[in-house]
Amino acid sequence: MSAESTTAINRSIVDLLDFIDWSGVECLNHNTAHSLPNAIKQGYREDEGLYLESDADEQLLIYLPFTQVVKLHSIVVKGPEEEGCLIGPKTVKLFSNREHMGFSNVNDFPPSDTAVLTPDNLKGKPVVLKFVKFQNVRSLTIFIEDNQSGSEVTKVDKIALFGTTVETTDMKGLKKIEDNH
Amino acid sequence: MVLEATLICIDNSEWMRNGDYAPSRFQAQTEAANLICGAKTQLNPENTVGVMTMAGKGVRVLVTPTSDLGKILACMHGLEIGGELNLAAGIQVAQLALKHRQNKKQQQRIIVFVGSPIKHEKKVLEMIGRKLKKNSVALDIVNFGEDDEGNTEKLEALLAAVNNNDSSHLVHVPPGPNALSDVLLSTPIFTGDGEGGSGFAAAAAAAAASGASGYEFGVDPNLDPELALALRVSMEEERARQEAAAKRAAEEAAKKEKQGEQQSSSQDVTMTDQDSVPASEADDKKKTTKHDEGLLQEAIAMSSTPSYPSGRDTNMSEVAEDDPELALALQLSMQDGTKDAPSHSDMSQLLADQAFVSSILASLPGVDPEDPSVKDVLTSMQNQSEKKDEDKASKEEEEK
């Protein structure tokens, strides 16, 4: 039916890196020398030496707005290989469509999904999310609550988001149609 | 032009009645706060500033962050002195007020005035500092009034906990004849993080500067910022060059003693001609900063660095238009440099090559190769190159 035809039209799951709106990206409690682009940007995230690190304590709050509405399917969080992935993140809470969250209000409302990462996940195995909760995502807030070993500092090598786009107009791509007739 | 939301925390405790800052601590503080408001709003029209008190009946926010300067100044008026300073609560309320700012794109900053003893423990302050850092709030602390070590220690611990990349500052203002606001003008609180000062701060600082009519280079940075900047940059370049020249002069001093007469005679030539340089040079910057010794050192620097002559040749050749003797002197000094550094042997050989030299001279504007004085130069240069070879031979012998 129409549902089937829409799924047929639907694109396959892609890396949502291209749909991140970089002008609005924010990261709280990160060490300025090891900042968010190290974990997300193409090229940077593949580099072992470049990682995102937390500063005052082990929590991290990352806010990623998208240029268009997306559906989020799964997420890959890679931690550093050494020390048996002990300082990679453990509990990761995801909030969709909540802007400007702070550490004080992360516990005020339930997350759209929570992922407890195992060392397998930290090596690159994707975590599949509750797709139904992420059907209409304009922005994503990733709250890294603690790490594998409970140390003072959390390190993240790479964060990759996978999903599909919804057919929304990218306002930047709009071009004026020449009216010839 | 950093977009910032600032919250100023005023200490209006009983200790502010003290008159060790004229006319009273409280008034000095209010003045300083007013100045800060003005400076912040001038830096960027979208900046907002808010004011709150930390003592008195309790911690109270008087004005939420706004860009309306009138509102801010008005609320500073009816403030009353009393009570005790509650630093921890004050900072936490400030953080909350900033969290609810209207424009989320603004960076958060708290400016705290501390002029009375802090009753909290160091640990409490450190925890607060860490929380501020976690939420990327910068903190500026103005410590005045209390001289006891306890306060200073606690505030330094607080700063260490908050400081992220030098965005937070702690300023101690001891009691004295200078007004609190004047002292603050020169601190990073006004000048921002390495921005080099807004026009407001620079002008105010210049006006407040002791006595002398105080604009460097005689140019008001506000009236003509580009010229002031250009002059400042050239001044710094000149200093750097002179330092390098001084170093090389010291190195060469030992070597030069070996050279003896030749060196001194050619130096005489360079010196006498350099005396005429200031007169003939139209360049303002050099006039104001150079004196003869500086010129000499510059010539020495020029002669000993290989890349230097190529960069500076164009300048000098313009000047040499007026003064063929100067051109001669320059070439001699260049050659002297080549004596000292064996690596310049190529250059000296080139210079010895008469055809090459005469072609160079021909290209120099205002120098006529047929001129008898120029011809003398060429012959003397040849003699010098011969003598130089002798020198080299003797040097090698010495080294053996």
Side-chain angles (χ1 to χ4, degrees):
Chain A
M1 284 236 332
S2 59
E4 273 178 75
S5 56
T6 43
T7 47
I9 298 170
N10 249 339
R11 304 132 190 97
S12 52
I13 293 171
V14 292
D15 188 334
L16 296 174
L17 175 66
D18 301 326
F19 302 105
I20 294 179
D21 177 10
W22 289 103
S23 62
V25 163
E26 282 169 20
C27 184
L28 286 183
N29 197 30
H30 66 106
N31 187 332
T32 32
H34 301 284
S35 61
L36 186 61
N38 287 353
I40 301 203
K41 278 201 174 159
Q42 195 62 42
Y44 288 102
R45 64 189 187 181
E46 305 305 334
D47 189 335
E48 283 278 319
L50 294 175
Y51 49 84
L52 167 67
E53 191 179 278
S54 69
D55 199 3
D57 62 11
E58 74 280 4
Q59 299 185 335
L60 278 164
L61 193 61
I62 302 166
Y63 173 69
L64 298 168
F66 295 104
T67 53
Q68 50 171 292
V69 177
V70 297
K71 295 181 202 266
L72 194 57
H73 177 264
S74 57
I75 173 173
V76 169
V77 177
K78 253 184 94 184
E81 292 286 320
E82 75 270 355
E83 300 162 26
C85 298
L86 279 179
I87 45 178
K90 189 164 98 179
T91 312
V92 175
K93 292 188 174 164
L94 298 160
F95 300 83
S96 79
N97 297 336
R98 292 235 183 255
E99 309 220 318
H100 305 290
M101 289 187 73
F103 288 103
S104 47
N105 57 359
V106 277
N107 295 318
D108 288 349
F109 22 70
S112 307
D113 201 359
T114 311
V116 179
L117 301 175
T118 63
D120 261 346
N121 294 123
L122 289 176
K123 293 215 176 84
K125 183 170 159 220
V127 178
V128 177
L129 305 166
K130 287 186 193 140
F131 202 40
V132 286
K133 299 266 189 183
F134 294 102
Q135 288 294 301
N136 203 354
V137 178
R138 275 219 164 264
S139 74
L140 183 68
T141 305
I142 304 174
F143 173 48
I144 298 178
E145 198 167 3
D146 52 22
N147 54 39
Q148 299 283 332
S149 60
S151 77
E152 273 286 309
V153 165
T154 303
K155 283 192 190 176
V156 181
D157 244 350
K158 166 178 166 179
I159 297 179
L161 304 166
F162 296 96
T164 67
T165 54
V166 174
E167 278 191 51
T168 40
T169 348
D170 181 12
M171 297 305 283
K172 293 191 185 112
L174 269 182
K175 284 196 186 120
K176 192 170 171 190
I177 302 172
E178 295 294 313
D179 196 358
N180 285 331
H181 41 263
Chain B
M1 299 293 151
V2 186
L3 190 57
E4 232 177 26
T6 312
L7 206 76
I8 303 182
C9 303
I10 306 265
D11 178 1
N12 60 334
S13 61
E14 290 286 350
W15 280 259
M16 292 298 114
R17 290 190 205 277
N18 198 331
D20 50 2
Y21 294 82
S24 78
R25 280 195 199 174
F26 185 68
Q27 291 196 350
Q29 205 191 163
T30 336
E31 254 181 56
N34 288 340
L35 258 173
I36 294 178
C37 294
K40 291 287 177 191
T41 39
Q42 254 211 349
L43 261 178
N44 185 330
E46 284 190 54
N47 277 355
T48 56
V49 182
V51 180
M52 59 175 280
T53 54
M54 294 190 288
K57 290 204 185 116
V59 173
R60 236 178 64 194
V61 177
L62 299 168
V63 185
T64 55
T66 169
S67 47
D68 183 0
L69 203 54
K71 218 172 173 185
I72 301 167
L73 295 177
C75 86
M76 297 274 228
H77 262 299
L79 284 180
E80 280 178 10
I81 300 181
E84 257 185 25
L85 174 69
N86 188 350
L87 189 60
I91 295 182
Q92 285 174 318
V93 169
Q95 190 188 346
L96 199 61
L98 282 174
K99 189 168 152 211
H100 293 288
R101 63 197 185 285
Q102 279 187 319
N103 183 357
K104 300 288 178 188
K105 292 220 182 270
Q106 288 166 329
Q107 303 267 352
Q108 305 171 69
R109 183 174 287 271
I110 302 176
I111 303 184
V112 183
F113 285 87
V114 179
S116 46
I118 304 174
K119 61 187 183 197
H120 302 277
E121 292 294 322
K122 200 157 66 144
K123 277 214 176 125
V124 175
L125 294 177
E126 277 179 1
M127 255 178 22
I128 295 178
R130 251 178 278 130
K131 214 172 134 213
L132 286 177
K133 181 150 98 151
K134 202 171 158 187
N135 288 293
S136 73
V137 180
L139 178 67
D140 286 336
I141 311 171
V142 180
N143 181 17
F144 65 106
E146 295 302 307
D147 266 338
D148 65 347
E149 284 306 313
N151 256 21
T152 318
E153 212 187 296
K154 289 179 186 172
L155 291 176
E156 280 180 357
L158 176 58
L159 181 79
V162 171
N163 204 356
N164 181 10
N165 235 4
D166 259 350
S167 64
S168 303
H169 314 98
L170 168 59
V171 181
H172 299 279
V173 185
N178 304 328
L180 183 61
S181 10
D182 290 340
V183 177
L184 282 181
L185 276 170
S186 55
T187 59
I189 293 183
F190 266 96
T191 58
D193 302 323
E195 276 171 27
S198 61
F200 180 96
S210 52
S213 60
Y215 291 130
E216 238 184 337
F217 311 121
V219 175
D220 181 354
N222 285 334
L223 290 180
D224 201 346
E226 288 159 344
L227 179 57
L229 181 65
L231 290 174
R232 186 159 37 114
V233 168
S234 69
M235 180 74 164
E236 285 166 359
E237 271 178 2
E238 189 49 48
R239 276 202 209 111
R241 235 182 283 136
Q242 282 186 6
E243 280 169 28
K247 272 188 216 160
R248 254 175 235 107
E251 285 171 8
E252 288 169 18
K255 285 186 196 169
K256 276 192 178 131
E257 281 166 7
K258 287 183 202 168
Q259 305 284 329
E261 303 158 2
Q262 249 173 359
Q263 191 78 352
S264 58
S265 66
S266 55
Q267 271 193 358
D268 286 338
V269 177
T270 54
M271 272 193 71
T272 50
D273 281 321
Q274 277 163 354
D275 284 340
S276 63
V277 166
S280 59
E281 269 198 32
D283 205 334
D284 283 334
K285 345 184 239 185
K286 290 182 188 164
K287 252 188 202 164
T288 55
T289 60
K290 272 189 192 168
H291 46 272
D292 297 333
E293 231 185 320
L295 286 173
L296 175 60
Q297 288 190 345
E298 203 193 331
I300 295 171
M302 265 178 58
S303 59
S304 50
T305 47
S307 54
Y308 235 84
S310 54
R312 301 277 283 150
D313 263 348
T314 44
N315 272 347
M316 282 305 168
S317 61
E318 285 165 18
V319 173
E321 261 185 297
D322 305 327
D323 206 344
E325 286 173 336
L326 173 61
L328 149 84
L330 286 172
Q331 284 173 352
L332 282 177
S333 65
M334 269 166 52
Q335 233 197 346
D336 292 337
T338 62
K339 266 186 228 167
D340 295 332
S343 60
H344 295 272
S345 53
D346 307 336
M347 177 98 131
S348 60
Q349 278 164 16
L350 283 174
L351 284 170
D353 186 42
Q354 188 142 21
F356 184 72
V357 169
S358 53
S359 66
I360 289 182
L361 287 178
S363 65
L364 277 175
V367 177
D368 187 1
E370 301 309 310
D371 198 353
S373 60
V374 176
K375 279 193 172 167
D376 287 339
V377 175
L378 291 175
T379 47
S380 69
M381 269 170 53
Q382 267 200 323
N383 292 338
Q384 280 196 351
S385 63
E386 285 167 13
K387 275 193 180 170
K388 193 199 324 166
D389 290 334
E390 285 174 16
D391 272 347
K392 267 195 183 164
S394 62
K395 253 192 187 172
E396 281 162 20
E397 277 178 27
E398 280 174 16
E399 280 165 19
K400 285 176 194 166

